[in-house]
């Protein structure tokens, strides 16, 4: 992916910036300029406001990927998931800091800022969100 | 609006055709289709080609006039149009040809589909395949094509109690049928155990749940039904050709375990044709990943939600059954040259309805359905075909 193409979405990818319909209140990620939910969606054009997601959510579905996406070869096997955010929208992202065997639907997770991939040996490094399990206060990392 | 008939079909063998170029396979399929009708190339008004990604697979865009040219038809200066809709490029191209003939604007058209996928290394091929899903919000976060179908599968298992073995059966059935199809990429039988223990790709999917990258082309000749008898003894009527769409990304679907695009295309197609699922004797469904075939059986209306798994596990969807599923071997075993898939499905149903399917003939078939999907379900096309008596 070209530098500019990745760069123009960094705000959303770094900060989980979504959008919220000022008519119906539904939250979208990535942000949309028209609300697909409102029946008179023409009325919502340009009337969605930016909203930052909390980063809290739960695993909606998952898969342990063994044949990597382009640029993710060094990470296999990795867990790919659909994460349902507290605010409603579902995101596609990797799960990290977890043994693939321990992943389950419904597991609470929280967004983490991580390196996604590099564009070859000399290319730019892309950063963005992944999700890690929420540890209870009695659990320790490591 | 005029009724539209298929007057001829043709296709190449699917597989790793390293000695054959894109234009060669396109021409072979087109001529085979013309030869199976009594039409001459002089009768044609236009050519449509379904093709997903020639620009990235073979660095060649503008393939529609290229194939027309090397078919010897450049001097006819016919309209020649490429259509792209991911893995549904073939059936969407067929829809364009259908509209043109139905409207009366064109009389006879050839609709082909072609893809040349094995000129690039495997990893490059996977990256190109995933360009049919959202590159900015899915693949950039590590999603792959099988990974996204795996997310659908995992959720389907969670919500509907579907078992891993249920969709593995889809691949077993495909290979059983493909053994009887001389065009098929893979003609070997595989066991359920082989699928379950195949190299993991994206859990729960293994290598044998995934359709291959194939080279191949297929073509059909369309014309008005009222003039069809002059060109073939067995015209096959296109009773419906319906496209529906949905969100690009799996994460945005109303229900991750349902392809609403399939549900709607099927509903409209059954409405248009006046048929219902129980009247269909054979179906070619889009099983680029085994779970996709299982979900298609539900979304097309053949089984209630959550019941297709049991039906696959029980058997009964093979030759001799009430509904024969993927007699060609499906995408898994006949092969998956993206742009050609939707046309090859229709070609198989036409051969079956004409009674020309050899060892894999579904006896007495009068109505068949083809189901072609782009991406993970952002586009779905349902085509219903009937024998005319």
């Amino acid at each position: 992916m070209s530098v500019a193409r990745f760069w123009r979405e960094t705000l959303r990818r770094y900060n989980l910036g979504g959008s919220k319909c000022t008519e119906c209140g539904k939250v979208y990620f990535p942000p949309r300029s028209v609300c697909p939910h409102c029946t008179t969606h023409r009325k919502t054009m340009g009337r969605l406001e930016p909203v930052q997601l909390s980063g809290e959510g739960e695993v909606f579905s998952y898969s342990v990927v063994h044949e990597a996406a382009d640029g993710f070869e060094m990470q296999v096997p990795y867990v790919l998931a659909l994460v349902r955010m507290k605010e409603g929208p579902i995101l596609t992202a990797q799960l990290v800091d977890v043994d693939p065997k321990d992943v389950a639907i419904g597991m609470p997770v929280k967004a983490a800022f991580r390196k996604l991939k590099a564009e070859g040996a000399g290319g730019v490094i892309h950063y963005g969100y992944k999700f890690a399990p929420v540890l209870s206060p009695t659990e320790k990392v490591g | 609006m005029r009724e539209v008939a298929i007057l001829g079909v043709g296709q190449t063998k699917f597989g790793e055709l390293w000695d054959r170029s894109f234009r060669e396979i396109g021409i072979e399929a087109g001529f085979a289709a013309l030869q199976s009708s009594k039409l001459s190339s002089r009768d044609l008004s236009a050519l449509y080609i379904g093709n997903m990604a020639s620009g990235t697979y073979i660095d060649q865009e503008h393939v529609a006039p290229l194939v027309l040219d090397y078919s010897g038809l450049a001097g006819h200066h016919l309209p020649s149009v490429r259509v792209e809709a991911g893995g549904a490029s073939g059936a969407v191209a067929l829809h364009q040809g259908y509209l043109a003939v139905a409207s009366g604007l064109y009389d006879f058209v050839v609709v082909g589909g072609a893809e040349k996928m094995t000129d690039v290394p495997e990893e490059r091929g996977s990256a190109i395949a995933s360009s049919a899903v959202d590159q900015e919000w899915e693949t950039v976060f590590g999603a792959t094509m099988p990974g996204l179908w795996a997310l659908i599968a995992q959720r389907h298992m969670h919500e509907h109690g579907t078992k891993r073995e249920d969709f593995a059966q889809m691949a077993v059935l495909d290979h059983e049928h493909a053994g009887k199809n001389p065009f098929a990429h893979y003609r070997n039988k595989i066991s359920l155990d082989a699928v379950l223990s195949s190299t993991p790709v994206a859990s729960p999917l293994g290598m044998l749940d995934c359709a291959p990258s194939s080279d191949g082309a297929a073509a059909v000749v369309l014309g008005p039904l009222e003039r069809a008898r002059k060109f073939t003894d067995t015209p096959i009527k296109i009773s419906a050709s319906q496209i529906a769409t949905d969100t690009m990304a799996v994460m945005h679907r109303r229900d991750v375990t349902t392809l609403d695009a399939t549900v709607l295309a099927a509903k409209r197609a059954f409405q248009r044709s006046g048929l219902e699922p129980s009247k269909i004797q054979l179906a070619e469904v889009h099983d680029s990943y085994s779970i996709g075939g299982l979900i298609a059986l539900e979304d097309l209306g053949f089984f209630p939600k959550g019941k297709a798994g049991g039906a696959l596990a029980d058997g009964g969807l093979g030759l001799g059954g009430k509904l024969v599923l993927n007699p060609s071997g499906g995408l898994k075993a006949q092969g998956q040259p993206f742009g050609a898939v939707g046309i090859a499905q229709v070609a198989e149903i036409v051969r079956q309805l004409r009674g020309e399917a050899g060892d894999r003939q579904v006896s007495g078939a009068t109505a068949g359905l083809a189901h072609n999907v782009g991406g993970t379900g952002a586009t779905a096309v349902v085509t219903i075909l009937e024998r005319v008596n």
Side-chain angles (χ1 to χ4, degrees):
Chain A
M1 184 170 285
S2 74
V3 173
R5 190 177 176 193
F6 195 91
W7 163 81
R8 50 177 180 260
E9 299 297 343
T10 49
L11 263 181
R12 268 74 73 178
R13 294 205 186 102
Y14 288 6
N15 298 332
L16 288 172
S19 63
K20 184 178 182 175
C21 178
T22 53
E23 292 288 323
C24 72
K26 214 165 150 58
V27 175
Y28 297 99
F29 188 91
R32 290 177 181 263
S33 49
V34 175
C35 180
H37 183 71
C38 286
T39 44
T40 56
H41 74 272
R42 200 173 71 167
K43 209 165 75 173
T44 69
M45 202 173 286
R47 300 200 52 194
L48 278 83
E49 59 187 23
V51 63
Q52 185 168 338
L53 304 184
S54 63
E56 291 168 34
E58 60 172 50
V59 175
F60 187 77
S61 191
Y62 66 94
S63 168
V64 183
V65 175
H66 295 266
E67 282 189 13
D70 202 18
F72 289 79
E73 293 80 1
M74 303 294 281
Q75 302 178 37
V76 289
Y78 59 86
V79 183
L80 177 73
L82 295 178
V83 176
R84 181 156 60 187
M85 308 303 294
K86 199 172 76 178
E87 294 83 357
I90 296 178
L91 274 59
T92 307
Q94 282 175 278
L95 298 187
V96 290
D97 299 341
V98 62
D99 189 317
K101 289 196 299 290
D102 297 334
V103 178
I105 289 176
M107 186 169 110
V109 290
K110 190 158 175 38
F113 183 73
R114 296 295 172 96
K115 172 182 168 179
L116 295 175
K117 62 172 187 172
E119 293 284 343
V124 297
I125 297 171
H126 297 317
Y127 293 91
Y129 50 81
K130 298 187 182 185
F131 287 83
V134 177
L135 299 175
S136 67
T138 53
E139 286 178 292
K140 282 184 192 155
V141 181
Chain B
M1 200 188 111
R2 299 192 290 188
E3 297 279 13
V4 181
I6 296 181
L7 313 176
V9 300
Q11 90 179 73
T12 67
K13 182 175 166 44
F14 284 4
E16 292 181 341
L17 311 177
W18 289 348
D19 56 335
R20 322 220 35 217
S21 68
F22 183 93
R23 67 189 80 182
E24 281 174 350
I25 57 175
I27 293 161
E28 182 187 323
F31 274 94
L34 276 177
Q35 274 163 4
S36 91
S37 72
K38 291 175 198 150
L39 219 74
S40 137
S41 51
R42 276 191 306 277
D43 300 316
L44 297 178
S45 305
L47 172 71
Y48 294 85
I49 295 185
N51 170 261
M52 171 175 145
S54 62
T56 37
Y57 279 122
I58 57 167
D59 292 318
Q60 178 72 62
E61 305 289 15
H62 214 176
V63 290
L66 174 78
V67 171
L68 191 81
D69 178 5
Y70 278 81
S71 303
L73 299 174
H76 295 227
H77 306 290
L78 298 178
S80 188
V81 181
R82 170 183 167 183
V83 177
E84 191 278 312
S89 299
V92 175
L94 182 78
H95 187 77
Q96 306 314 311
Y98 165 81
L99 291 181
V101 175
S103 75
L105 188 63
Y106 297 152
D107 281 333
F108 300 101
V109 304
V110 169
V111 184
E115 208 78 51
K116 182 77 192 161
M117 296 168 70
T118 72
D119 278 1
V120 297
E122 186 89 30
E123 314 78 63
R124 177 76 186 123
S126 300
I128 295 170
S130 63
S131 64
V133 299
D134 193 332
Q135 295 279 46
E136 303 201 356
W137 300 102
E138 291 184 304
T139 55
V140 83
F141 292 98
T144 58
M145 205 65 169
L148 292 167
W149 281 100
L151 294 173
I152 294 173
Q154 190 72 45
R155 190 72 202 177
H156 201 283
M157 292 164 85
H158 178 77
E159 283 186 27
H160 304 295
T162 302
K163 295 190 187 71
R164 167 71 184 100
E165 291 79 7
D166 298 346
F167 43 93
Q169 284 289 359
M170 187 75 221
V172 176
L173 181 70
D174 275 343
H175 275 257
E176 199 177 303
H177 288 165
K180 298 181 165 67
N181 179 1
F183 298 116
H185 190 153
Y186 295 120
R187 303 190 62 189
N188 59 310
K189 283 190 180 166
I190 57 173
S191 67
L192 180 62
D193 280 345
V195 182
L196 297 176
S197 61
S198 61
T199 312
V201 173
S203 69
L205 304 176
M207 195 181 73
L208 290 180
D209 291 278
C210 309
S213 293
S214 316
D215 304 324
V220 298
V221 182
L222 307 184
L225 180 62
E226 68 215 21
R227 292 170 62 187
R229 293 279 176 194
K230 193 178 157 198
F231 301 99
T232 176
D233 297 331
T234 48
I236 302 300
K237 184 171 99 167
I238 301 182
S239 300
S241 162
Q242 291 286 339
I243 304 175
T245 57
D246 199 355
T247 64
M248 188 72 173
V250 171
M251 59 183 159
H252 294 140
R253 302 274 159 81
R254 176 191 64 79
D255 170 9
V256 165
T257 68
T258 300
L259 268 61
D260 278 350
T262 297
V263 172
L264 282 165
K267 198 174 148 197
R268 294 171 191 163
F270 280 118
Q271 225 158 41
R272 172 94 206 158
S273 65
L275 296 174
E276 51 190 74
S278 64
K279 302 286 183 211
I280 301 289
Q281 294 114 346
L282 69 152
E284 289 281 330
V285 304
H286 197 97
D287 59 338
S288 46
Y289 298 93
S290 55
I291 182 66
L294 183 151
I295 292 178
L297 287 171
E298 297 171 349
D299 294 347
L300 291 166
F302 292 117
F303 296 96
K305 200 78 210 161
K307 298 290 182 205
L312 274 166
D314 294 347
L317 293 167
L319 288 168
K322 199 168 144 282
L323 169 71
V324 181
L325 181 62
N326 289 1
S328 73
L331 279 65
K332 170 67 193 82
Q334 176 171 241
Q336 185 189 210
F338 287 133
V341 165
I343 302 294
Q345 291 176 324
V346 166
E348 172 66 8
I349 290 171
V350 169
R351 285 188 294 257
Q352 292 280 357
L353 297 178
R354 282 177 159 192
E356 296 170 357
D359 291 346
R360 62 185 192 287
Q361 182 63 47
V362 176
S363 60
T366 56
L369 177 150
H371 164 248
N372 193 195
V373 172
T376 53
T379 298
V381 189
V382 172
T383 312
I384 295 178
L385 302 161
E386 278 181 280
R387 201 188 156 98
V388 187
N389 291 312

